[in-house]
Amino acid sequence: MREENRTKDKKIMLITPMLHQGGFERICVMTARALGQRRDTEAVIVVFSMEDIAFDVSGLTVIDLNLKARDGRLRKILNIIRRSIKLTALQKKLGTDISYSFGTTANIANSLSRGAKKKISACHSFEEIRGGVYMKLISRCTDRVLCCSKKMADLVQESYGFPGVEALWNPCDIRGILAQSRKEPDKDIAFFKENGKILVSMGREDDVKGFWHLLKIFRRVYEEEENVGLAVIGEGGFEEYRRLARELGVEKRVFFAGLKKNPFPYLRESDIYLLTSLSEGLPNALVEALALSLPVVSANCLSGPAEILHGDFKEAEAQKEVFLGDYGVLVPALSPEKNLSVRWEPEGEAFRREESGKLPCCGEEKKRIALEAEEEKFAAAVLMLLRDEGLYKGYREKALARAEDFSTENYMEGLLSCMEKL
């Protein structure tokens, strides 16, 4: 009996740089838990550093290689070599059948390791697949490249001609999100209850998230509908964005919530989810918002939003104007040029009540902001959702059903199918 179990079990190694925070780290933990529930599978997580773990890893086996990131080109190269050597030794020791890596540095180490029978690399951002040397390495040295969106998989196939590329949507733990959203939040929830309609966005402080666009768009919405607030949930000090909010005259209406281990009670108290990213892979936060029945307005960036918010992603990504997708509103991609400056329109002229029909902001804030064309379209789409009760209700009703398409069960079915083909 013992011998039968030993030959039956499949040994899976999941590799991620850290478990600090972020989309692919969350997927790694979810994958480990799902695999751990199977009688024929044994899963371990391997990390390069155990610092600042932000996820619940109770009941999971986590192994620390103790090779955290280093500064300097030479140290980085030596770190890559050390990681691949340590991984190889560990894979051989554990009898690893499949090693499955998440994120650029983990994919590199996995590609160069030699102890697993089969190797899978996962790409979770559009920026990742732009790296020519990196993509050639993981394409040649792993047995499968899993891209988190169909668009990314198509681009990898077209750019590198690698036959072993597949699309596998990120998993969303729908039941877990709904359960966590009902937990008691901290005192920060007051902002969500006291500032009218709440627009919300999630993401770390990173230029790729386009938060300068978000704040300027919010300023326009506030000029038109004053009973609104904006919450930004994610890691970072956001100092330059706090300054921008002050310059825009909306600092009292914008809340930088910081990193929340459980952001879902705050999403539950919000009204519309906004995504202003310049690029994505498949934005998990967008699916999580849908799971909590939030209507969504998203930039039609590469890649992910078109796939999430419309059944025919090729039709959706081809749109150049505001597009009412099956499951959310898509707006033209935003400019990648970071611009923290503020212009008023008309320059220096007061924003008068008789022109807008709305009360102006207070003091020196009695102005109308000048926006880029794409920002203007984004703000108009948000205002449309705020004012069109039928459209808003329709998207709320369809949101959860769409999120179910990205369920953990569907993800695991696709992953297990991929592993069986190796």
Side-chain angles (χ1 to χ4, degrees):
M1 186 69 167
R2 198 172 298 164
E3 181 66 29
E4 179 185 334
N5 284 339
R6 190 159 51 242
T7 57
K8 179 182 175 184
D9 285 348
K10 185 171 288 186
K11 315 279 189 180
I12 310 295
M13 178 181 288
L14 307 174
I15 310 164
T16 185
M18 298 178 70
L19 291 171
H20 176 39
Q21 69 146 1
F24 66 75
E25 294 91 341
R26 185 185 300 274
I27 295 166
C28 178
V29 173
M30 290 174 66
T31 303
R33 290 211 178 278
L35 288 172
Q37 293 172 5
R38 297 178 58 84
R39 294 183 179 180
D40 62 346
T41 304
E42 182 181 330
V44 300
I45 297 175
V46 176
V47 298
F48 301 149
S49 172
M50 293 279 278
E51 289 182 358
D52 302 323
I53 291 181
F55 299 100
D56 177 14
V57 294
S58 58
L60 300 176
T61 301
V62 182
I63 300 173
D64 183 10
L65 291 188
N66 195 25
L67 288 169
K68 62 183 180 181
R70 303 292 181 186
D71 294 327
R73 182 177 177 81
L74 180 59
R75 288 184 178 182
K76 288 179 185 295
I77 293 172
L78 290 174
N79 225 22
I80 289 171
I81 295 170
R82 292 190 186 109
R83 287 170 176 174
S84 62
I85 291 172
K86 270 199 169 185
L87 267 181
T88 298
L90 187 58
Q91 289 163 348
K92 289 179 178 179
K93 179 181 177 181
L94 298 178
T96 304
D97 293 296
I98 299 173
S99 58
Y100 177 20
S101 52
F102 303 79
T104 303
T105 56
N107 285 342
I108 292 172
N110 189 26
S111 298
L112 296 174
S113 67
R114 292 291 179 267
K117 295 174 185 175
K118 298 290 181 180
K119 296 181 286 187
I120 299 173
S121 294
C123 295
H124 291 93
S125 75
F126 186 70
E127 295 302 315
E128 255 189 288
I129 67 173
R130 284 177 169 161
V133 174
Y134 160 73
M135 284 306 303
K136 287 176 182 177
L137 172 67
I138 68 170
S139 296
R140 291 173 182 171
C141 298
T142 56
D143 300 280
R144 281 289 185 278
V145 174
L146 295 182
C147 294
C148 64
S149 74
K150 295 175 183 177
K151 177 65 176 179
M152 285 176 61
D154 287 350
L155 288 171
V156 170
Q157 180 64 55
E158 292 167 9
S159 301
Y160 305 102
F162 178 54
V165 61
E166 295 183 22
L168 180 63
W169 283 342
N170 295 339
C172 185
D173 181 8
I174 309 296
R175 288 186 292 276
I177 287 171
L178 292 173
Q180 289 182 69
S181 74
R182 299 186 189 100
K183 291 184 177 179
E184 189 67 29
D186 59 31
K187 61 183 180 180
D188 287 341
I189 202 68
F191 176 88
F192 294 77
K193 293 180 176 294
E194 297 170 359
N195 285 277
K197 297 290 184 180
I198 300 297
L199 314 179
V200 65
S201 190
M202 292 200 300
R204 66 192 182 281
E205 185 181 6
D206 191 307
D207 288 352
V208 76
K209 299 301 180 182
F211 286 133
W212 68 92
H213 290 302
L214 180 69
L215 289 168
K216 292 178 181 181
I217 289 163
F218 175 69
R219 166 68 198 210
R220 168 67 84 244
V221 173
Y222 182 52
E223 288 169 358
E224 299 291 330
E225 296 287 339
E226 60 182 13
N227 192 28
V228 292
L230 172 67
V232 181
I233 303 172
E235 184 188 29
F238 290 90
E239 292 305 322
E240 62 183 355
Y241 296 113
R242 293 175 192 271
R243 288 194 295 271
L244 179 58
R246 285 195 293 272
E247 190 172 351
L248 290 167
V250 293
E251 68 271 29
K252 293 182 180 179
R253 286 282 175 169
V254 178
F255 176 49
F256 294 97
L259 177 64
K260 299 288 185 184
K261 288 190 176 182
N262 179 14
F264 304 117
Y266 307 94
L267 285 185
R268 192 180 186 89
E269 292 293 332
S270 301
D271 296 279
I272 299 175
Y273 189 87
L274 308 183
L275 186 143
T276 55
S277 294
L278 312 179
S279 69
E280 288 282 355
L282 193 88
N284 298 324
L286 210 57
V287 181
E288 291 166 350
L290 292 174
L292 291 170
S293 300
L294 275 180
V296 168
V297 180
S298 172
N300 197 0
C301 64
L302 284 175
S303 64
E307 276 182 57
I308 295 171
L309 299 180
H310 195 61
D312 183 347
F313 85 90
K314 291 186 177 179
E315 177 191 11
E317 72 176 8
Q319 302 298 317
K320 303 301 181 187
E321 297 297 330
V322 174
F323 178 66
L324 300 183
D326 295 331
Y327 310 104
V329 183
L330 288 158
V331 299
L334 297 163
S335 168
E337 184 178 347
K338 188 173 184 178
N339 182 2
L340 295 170
S341 64
V342 177
R343 290 190 307 110
W344 301 103
E345 187 179 77
E347 195 70 34
E349 184 176 322
F351 178 51
R352 296 186 294 274
R353 178 186 178 124
E354 61 267 27
E355 290 177 341
S356 66
K358 297 289 178 185
L359 288 170
C361 303
C362 55
E364 295 179 357
E365 300 162 8
K366 299 177 183 178
K367 301 174 183 177
R368 184 175 172 86
I369 190 174
L371 299 180
E372 297 172 4
E374 292 78 12
E375 293 170 337
E376 198 74 72
K377 291 173 184 177
F378 200 119
V382 176
L383 289 164
M384 175 176 61
L385 264 185
L386 286 171
R387 293 167 175 172
D388 190 329
E389 186 176 342
L391 184 66
Y392 183 88
K393 183 180 178 182
Y395 279 132
R396 278 192 71 92
E397 291 174 348
K398 290 188 279 189
L400 177 56
R402 180 52 170 171
E404 292 283 2
D405 292 335
F406 300 83
S407 68
T408 304
E409 292 77 13
N410 286 347
Y411 164 80
M412 287 305 300
E413 183 179 338
L415 178 60
L416 293 171
S417 174
C418 170
M419 289 181 172
E420 287 300 320
K421 289 183 286 188
L422 293 179

